[in-house]
Amino acid sequence: MAVEKDKPREPLWARLERPAAAPRQTLSPQRIATAAVGIADAEGLDAVTMRRLATELGVAPMAPYRYVSGKDELLELMVDHVYEELRLPEGLGWRETMRALGHGTREMTLRHPWLAQLSPQAMLALTPRRMAVTERSLSALAGSGLDPDTTMSVFRAVDAYANGAMAYEIAVQSFMDQQGWADGGELRSELAPQMTWHIQTGRYPTFEGYLMTATRKDDVLWRFETGLEYVLDGIAAKLGI
């Protein structure tokens, strides 16, 4: 006898867009997302649990489950909530739109550092507001006459740069916070014994030159902006747009 496959679960967003049988005044997806994001912003992702969320909302422990099946869907709701902050202006050219995407991603991640620590499922979650950002980006790029595959590749290149740069920036800041180090100078001072050993091997002369002559080691915004501009310059040169 053939084994029946489990039916795919209905997407969270399809359920939430369906009108409720009766209005619920106490709880809503917006309230749930706002409370969960507040916890994560203040204490990190590990502090976000369904029980803690219910306590924060002042509702019964099972009440949030009317809207989300568990933490995975709660993370989707949180991601969608904060993506409301990443609004790409209309009417811009491809380069201005991609620059806005990069800077918008950085600013959003600085406000919500837990975005750099999401699970793969949450990182790939297809939420309405995240899809809207993708749509606006692809629309701006499509206006340059690129084919669909190249359009998506260019968007992913900028998106990957911004998210990758922020994952590193957040990791450094988080490490410094855990160690109680105030700034980059203190970080380098504490890591000096390890770095000195590596440099004294003579294997890394270029890196040694950077350490001795660089003047913007702690200018994270400049580093981000410079990297983004080189990404955009490379795209423009390659595509001739």
Side-chain angles (χ1 to χ4, degrees), residues 41 82 85-86 104 106-114:
D41 287 349
V82 299
E85 301 169 14
L86 209 176
R106 181 175 189 271
E107 291 157 9
M108 179 179 65
T109 307
L110 288 175
R111 286 190 294 268
H112 312 289
W114 50 269

